[in-house]
Amino acid sequence: MKTLSLTLSGLLLASTALIAPGVALAQQQDPVPAQSDAQDPQSEAQVDEIVVLGRYIPEPLRETSEVASFVTREDLQRTGDDDAAAALTRVTGLSVVEGRFVYVRGLGERYSSALLNGSPLPSPEPLQRVVPLDLFPSSVLDGVTVQKTYSANYPGEFGGGVIDLQTITAPREPFLTISASIGGNLETTGREGYIYYGSRTDFTGFDDGTRDVPGLLRDAIATGNRVATGANFTSAEIQAIGRDFVNAPLNLLQTQDYIQPNFGLDIAGGRSWDVGAGLELGLVFVAGYDNNWRTRTGIQQEGRLDVDQLVVQTNYDYVSTENDIGLNFLGGLSLGNENNQLKWTNLYVRNVTKEARTREGVDFAAPGTGEVRDDYTEWFERSLFTSQLAGTHWLMNGDLELSWRGAYARTDRDAPYEKVIRYRLDPDGVYRHDTEAQRNSTSFSELEDEIVSGGADFAWTTALSSVRDMTVRGGVAYTDNTRNAERRDFRFYAPNGLPLDVQDSRVDYLFSDFNLGPALLELQEITPSGGAAAYEAGLETQAAYLQVEAEIVPLVSVSAGVRYEDATQFVTPIDLFGGALVFQPTELQNSYWLPSATLTWNFAEDMQLRLGASKTIGRPQFRELAPQQYLDPDNDRLFFGNPYLVDTELVNLDARVEWYFARGQYVTGGVFYKDIENPIESTINDIGSVIQQTYLNAPNATLMGFEVDAKKYWEMPDYSWSFIANKRWLVQANYTFTDSEVNVDAGDTVRVLSAGGAERPASDYIIDGSRMQGQSEHLANLQLGWEDDMARSQATILVTWVSERSSARGRPGEPDLIQEPGVMLDFVYRKDFEWGGRDMGLAIELRNLLDEEYLEYQELGNRITANGYDLGQSGSISLTTRF
């Protein structure tokens, strides 16, 4: 036991000055020998052990001086969430949009950063630079840290917070588990849906080559010329290229009477070995496969302003059936002893969505009656691979800690053979396709996003006194993020018109080889020029920081630091045909000094106060800067970037009180305020008769609010009903109120895409005092559950409520588009048991028990449902075997 030396009078004076009467700063584990009359009261006493205030404060919160939340391995098991995005919906102040992107305190995903074991990650999403967190299955995670106050050791893109995902590591004890699950959804499983054949191996998540870019088309693209009849290609060559396209397996929508249940399989294992010389070698691996189905039956509408109200301009009923196939593998090696630790972590995640979709309705911009049908067949491949090598070394008897990391990460998104064909409803009640009046298209798009990153840090701890320490931290970091994106669009058109019997043909006959030729249907490339179909982008950052953490007086500690970050970001449009660019390359080159400070006062037993202040930034995402059109398949909405965006700067203030009244039990409450310069907002833009969603920098915004969080366990007395008495009961709840305002003063301007970057009055696009896009006023979570150690069982009821939020700004004079996430009620039950000499685990999960729906709308006089569908109630059961 370490012996500490201090003067008794100094200890008493410090405790009297800094804590409430009756609360002891420290307690002696062994009685102090009585002093003799001759003993000087100022003389030193030898104290065997000092126990500092805060014995119930959890270790992660004891180690950090910041406002943070932690999702542990036990939390992931209790809630039963399948991926990181779902698990983070339970954290105070966090909400998840589209099931993938995390909003911290109402700020969009662009204001937060996601790390994996401290290293940045690229994104496979065309519309985001932030990686979607649904890619990370909970089985590969050991925990998640959500830090809401900024500290200089993290990247400067920290408006709402940082989310650091920690993967599982090699265990002390060997383990091997195999888990299988089956489940379904009442809107999907066993009911009718739409499918298309695709290829023979689609169920694996890998295409058998059917969707490869046709060889003749690939050769034609390589010439750098537009693929169409003319100076570069003869009619015969175009006919051959067109006939090389895959037709029936990818064009023909089919009705399936019975959609199969969801199922999944996971295997995980690990162990450690003593390899001699004091070294321990560890191995851990996780592999998983899941196959899920989802059918959505809903409404899509667009409105237009007519006098003082909105009227319907397009009105569709749609049905979409998605088959999502996921694969993941994590492998980790570790080698170390008490002074050195090396870790090598590799993660591969692949997610494929195969979608068949159709919609019917009225489009008032369409010729004739305006009654049309659109059929879609799509295949989206998203994959992420990351490899990280990291080391930690303790020197000078542990007073100096050196750590380093290097990582390579790559994500890909491949969408081959995105197909859409439009039919018109003629007065005789037959849907026909006429290429002169309706467009069909086949698209091939690819996106590659890479990050090379590295960093080194040190932490030196020295004593300020016999009971107080100071830690000096510093480090450097480098990140190079590059992205390449390209899209090619084609259609079949009839130069001489189509006979009525051909227009009546089923789609696989319509585009058969017999009809492909100059007499009927001819291939034509419709890829936009001027740089609207491809771009390359990059973000290079170099950073250094210095941070000091010290207990400046007993019970009061300060963490203060500053980060210098230099960044160059560019987006360069590429004209695929060598022509002139409509929009010139964008380059943002900025350097920032980003200070941060947090004060923590442990003012009473197991109670502490945190105060934080910092400056952070938010950069535009690549896709927001790229002048390239993209169709979001989730809502059939067109997006187009704005190359005139600039960085966002934020000033952040936080205060939080924490009381940990028992082990694992607490009550916390905090307030926060943010002043945001040039926040990026999404807005609706008209290009002729086409409606697009684009982006702009609002002049200024403020965001403020408060949050409370509580967790309590209790046990009933023995004389209670046995079902109640034998269990440990849990109540955990959190609530966040957030209020934001976008501020527009007279003379404020914005640079919008439709004006070619010219300054326009901000009041034409933004309503002064309106809420920030994506911000909900209310976020609440409630968990009610019990644990029974005797029966080895656990049950939890989970309730999540997110109030309405703006998803995009309306066009000038129109209201915003509003989302209503609503209330989600889930139930999770787990039980461990033995069977056949094996340790087993059973889990039952029931989701959306209130049958909540998805709703996005505009309202002015009338309500326009931009997108609405039933989510459906779902359930699953899984069985785990432990070896």
Side-chain angles (χ1 to χ4, degrees):
M1 179 179 294
K2 184 178 181 180
T3 300
L4 300 180
S5 176
L6 70 162
T7 61
L8 293 177
S9 60
L11 177 60
L12 292 174
L13 285 171
S15 63
T16 303
L18 293 172
I19 62 176
V23 179
L25 167 64
Q27 62 185 31
Q28 296 168 211
Q29 300 302 302
D30 299 311
V32 179
Q35 294 179 352
S36 66
D37 293 341
Q39 192 172 11
D40 186 349
Q42 297 291 329
S43 64
E44 287 190 344
Q46 295 298 316
V47 182
D48 289 333
E49 183 178 350
I50 296 293
V51 178
V52 181
L53 293 178
R55 55 181 174 158
Y56 291 136
I57 299 176
E59 193 63 32
L61 287 168
R62 195 193 300 268
E63 293 177 353
T64 180
S65 58
E66 307 301 330
V67 174
S69 298
F70 299 89
V71 179
T72 66
R73 184 73 179 168
E74 291 74 20
D75 295 330
L76 294 170
Q77 292 172 348
R78 171 179 284 279
T79 59
D81 295 310
D82 295 329
D83 54 62
L88 289 172
T89 61
R90 321 295 179 190
V91 177
T92 310
L94 270 63
S95 60
V96 175
V97 177
E98 299 178 9
R100 295 178 290 175
F101 301 105
V102 173
Y103 283 28
V104 181
R105 291 172 171 174
L107 290 170
E109 81 284 347
R110 70 170 60 83
Y111 295 111
S112 301
S113 57
L115 307 174
L116 185 69
N117 298 327
S119 294
L121 293 167
S123 174
E125 293 297 317
L127 292 175
Q128 280 84 18
R129 184 157 46 84
V130 180
V131 64
L133 296 183
D134 66 325
L135 280 179
F136 299 93
S138 57
S139 59
V140 307
L141 298 177
D142 188 54
V144 184
T145 298
V146 181
Q147 186 172 307
K148 300 176 186 177
T149 54
Y150 179 63
S151 55
N153 56 307
Y154 277 121
E157 287 193 77
F158 191 110
V162 65
I163 299 165
D164 195 356
L165 308 169
Q166 293 98 36
T167 56
I168 62 174
T169 56
R172 294 283 182 182
E173 298 294 330
F175 78 97
L176 176 65
T177 64
I178 299 175
S179 178
S181 65
I182 187 169
N185 179 281
L186 294 183
E187 290 291 320
T188 303
T189 310
R191 304 185 66 173
E192 184 180 280
Y194 284 97
I195 62 169
Y196 70 96
Y197 180 78
S199 79
R200 295 169 298 174
T201 57
D202 283 0
F203 71 95
T204 66
F206 292 87
D207 176 78
D208 67 358
T210 298
R211 295 181 179 87
D212 290 349
V213 177
L216 293 179
L217 176 63
R218 185 172 56 249
D219 294 341
I221 289 174
T223 66
N225 300 310
R226 186 179 293 276
V227 181
T229 302
N232 301 302
F233 298 94
T234 66
S235 180
E237 289 173 328
I238 292 298
Q239 181 183 36
I241 296 170
R243 289 181 175 180
D244 207 18
F245 274 55
V246 177
N247 177 23
L250 304 181
N251 276 329
L252 184 61
L253 278 181
Q254 297 172 286
T255 301
Q256 181 160 301
D257 295 333
Y258 179 88
I259 298 297
Q260 69 185 40
N262 305 326
F263 64 93
L265 181 67
D266 290 276
I267 181 171
R271 66 165 300 173
S272 297
W273 298 269
D274 185 352
V275 295
L279 292 173
E280 188 173 74
L281 175 66
L283 167 69
V284 66
F285 72 91
V286 177
Y289 167 83
D290 58 81
N291 192 311
N292 300 316
W293 293 82
R294 182 178 71 163
T295 296
R296 292 177 293 171
T297 302
I299 299 171
Q300 291 177 341
Q301 296 177 330
E302 290 178 358
R304 61 180 175 84
L305 195 61
D306 186 2
V307 189
D308 294 326
Q309 65 178 1
L310 289 173
V311 296
V312 175
Q313 179 168 301
T314 63
N315 185 10
Y316 295 105
D317 294 316
Y318 75 93
V319 179
S320 164
T321 300
E322 292 182 3
N323 183 200
D324 294 308
I325 304 108
L327 294 166
N328 64 83
F329 177 79
L330 179 138
L333 286 173
S334 61
L335 180 66
N337 55 26
E338 61 180 0
N339 293 320
N340 300 278
Q341 190 68 233
L342 295 176
K343 292 182 180 179
W344 184 31
T345 305
N346 297 275
L347 176 66
Y348 174 76
V349 180
R350 179 182 175 88
N351 180 271
V352 169
T353 298
K354 179 182 180 181
E355 182 175 12
R357 179 163 43 111
T358 185
R359 64 179 188 175
E360 297 180 10
V362 178
D363 183 347
F364 292 104
T369 64
E371 295 188 61
V372 297
R373 188 184 86 212
D374 297 324
D375 290 347
Y376 300 81
T377 57
E378 296 158 324
W379 173 272
F380 303 105
E381 300 175 5
R382 297 184 301 163
S383 64
L384 180 149
F385 170 75
T386 179
S387 182
Q388 182 196 61
L389 185 63
T392 305
H393 313 277
W394 292 270
L395 308 174
M396 300 171 57
N397 296 320
D399 291 340
L400 178 62
E401 177 183 329
L402 299 177
S403 60
W404 53 269
R405 64 197 175 277
Y408 169 80
R410 170 172 169 164
T411 59
D412 293 90
R413 182 186 185 273
D414 189 12
Y417 278 104
E418 276 187 82
K419 285 181 170 287
V420 59
I421 179 169
R422 166 163 284 196
Y423 304 85
R424 73 175 186 277
L425 182 63
D426 282 348
D428 58 1
V430 176
Y431 279 106
R432 294 186 170 91
H433 177 68
D434 180 357
T435 60
E436 293 180 0
Q438 295 88 33
R439 175 167 290 184
N440 61 78
S441 68
T442 301
S443 301
F444 301 85
S445 62
E446 292 183 345
L447 182 148
E448 295 178 1
D449 204 324
E450 290 183 324
I451 289 184
V452 177
S453 64
D457 304 271
F458 74 88
W460 174 61
T461 302
T462 186
L464 294 178
S465 71
S466 56
V467 292
R468 292 185 290 116
D469 291 335
M470 177 181 72
T471 300
V472 179
R473 302 180 186 274
V476 293
Y478 174 80
T479 301
D480 186 16
N481 183 192
T482 58
R483 171 179 285 196
N484 291 281
E486 180 178 324
R487 181 183 179 93
R488 309 293 292 237
D489 300 312
F490 303 89
R491 71 160 178 156
F492 290 97
Y493 79 109
N496 305 309
L498 285 178
L500 197 60
D501 61 330
V502 177
Q503 295 182 36
D504 286 344
S505 298
R506 205 174 69 180
V507 64
D508 50 334
Y509 294 117
L510 177 64
F511 296 116
S512 64
D513 288 354
F514 180 81
N515 289 335
L516 299 184
L520 289 177
L521 289 170
E522 195 165 66
L523 181 70
Q524 179 185 52
E525 183 168 7
I526 54 173
T527 303
S529 57
Y535 69 91
E536 60 181 21
L539 172 63
E540 184 181 27
T541 61
Q542 302 174 66
Y545 75 93
L546 188 65
Q547 184 173 316
V548 177
E549 300 172 6
E551 190 175 359
I552 52 176
V553 296
L555 309 180
V556 178
S557 60
V558 170
S559 173
V562 64
R563 183 182 187 90
Y564 174 77
E565 197 162 283
D566 181 83
T568 301
Q569 183 176 4
F570 71 88
V571 174
T572 303
I574 300 172
D575 186 85
L576 297 173
F577 313 109
L581 296 176
V582 175
F583 297 96
Q584 295 306 306
T586 298
E587 182 172 319
L588 300 175
Q589 188 166 4
N590 292 300
S591 298
Y592 297 98
W593 290 95
L594 303 173
S596 63
T598 303
L599 181 145
T600 303
W601 178 24
N602 194 180
F603 63 90
E605 177 66 23
D606 294 305
M607 299 181 72
Q608 56 190 18
L609 169 69
R610 299 185 192 270
L611 302 174
S614 63
K615 177 183 177 181
T616 56
I617 58 172
R619 297 185 178 94
Q621 298 174 3
F622 293 145
R623 190 62 188 83
E624 293 170 344
L625 287 167
Q628 184 186 57
Q629 185 171 280
Y630 168 74
L631 177 68
D632 188 342
D634 286 336
N635 51 32
D636 289 319
R637 193 170 298 153
L638 290 170
F639 286 80
F640 206 91
N642 181 358
Y644 308 108
L645 298 177
V646 298
D647 290 354
T648 301
E649 300 185 36
L650 304 94
V651 174
N652 314 284
L653 302 175
D654 283 87
R656 186 162 85 161
V657 177
E658 304 167 356
W659 178 30
Y660 299 90
F661 53 85
R663 191 169 304 280
Q665 303 176 68
Y666 55 81
V667 176
T668 69
V671 295
F672 53 88
Y673 173 85
K674 296 179 184 292
D675 184 82
I676 308 171
E677 183 181 350
N678 297 322
I680 297 173
E681 297 275 284
S682 180
T683 184
I684 299 297
N685 183 41
D686 270 331
I687 303 293
S689 62
V690 177
I691 296 176
Q692 295 175 337
Q693 193 163 323
T694 185
Y695 310 91
L696 56 79
N697 284 108
N700 177 266
T702 56
L703 181 143
M704 65 186 71
F706 68 88
E707 54 190 22
V708 292
D709 192 4
K711 184 177 182 179
K712 168 66 178 173
Y713 289 105
W714 80 94
E715 296 179 5
M716 293 297 185
D718 292 339
Y719 55 78
S720 302
W721 182 29
S722 61
F723 177 79
I724 297 176
N726 294 332
K727 296 173 174 58
R728 186 187 190 207
W729 293 83
L730 164 71
V731 174
Q732 183 173 356
N734 61 67
Y735 169 75
T736 303
F737 172 81
T738 309
D739 182 50
S740 66
E741 286 189 1
V742 179
N743 305 309
V744 180
D745 295 329
D748 284 341
T749 60
V750 294
R751 301 181 70 189
V752 294
L753 180 69
S754 58
E759 293 186 349
R760 292 295 175 88
S763 57
D764 288 351
Y765 300 87
I766 304 166
I767 300 173
D768 181 43
S770 59
R771 275 188 293 166
M772 292 184 67
Q773 182 225 329
Q775 182 258 311
S776 297
E777 276 193 339
H778 309 283
L779 299 173
N781 290 284
L782 173 66
Q783 294 186 36
L784 302 172
W786 50 258
E787 299 172 354
D788 190 333
D789 292 337
M790 297 288 293
R792 302 176 67 192
S793 62
Q794 181 187 80
T796 312
I797 296 172
L798 305 111
V799 184
T800 299
W801 172 48
V802 181
S803 65
E804 67 177 28
R805 59 191 172 212
S806 167
S807 59
R809 300 292 179 201
R811 289 168 290 185
E814 293 185 3
D816 292 350
L817 273 72
I818 302 296
Q819 284 183 351
E820 283 192 357
V823 179
M824 301 298 291
L825 174 63
D826 302 332
F827 174 76
V828 178
Y829 174 77
R830 297 183 177 277
K831 181 175 176 59
D832 291 339
F833 60 95
E834 288 190 4
W835 183 74
R838 294 290 184 192
D839 191 23
M840 310 284 288
L842 173 72
I844 299 173
E845 302 174 17
L846 303 176
R847 305 290 183 181
N848 191 25
L849 294 176
L850 298 180
D851 199 18
E852 192 68 67
E853 65 176 3
Y854 178 89
L855 181 62
E856 183 182 17
Y857 65 89
Q858 272 184 301
E859 192 165 24
L860 182 61
N862 299 304
R863 173 173 285 195
I864 306 297
T865 302
N867 194 13
Y869 57 89
D870 290 329
L871 294 169
Q873 298 162 305
S874 60
S876 67
I877 182 169
S878 64
L879 189 65
T880 300
T881 302
R882 304 179 182 96
F883 295 90

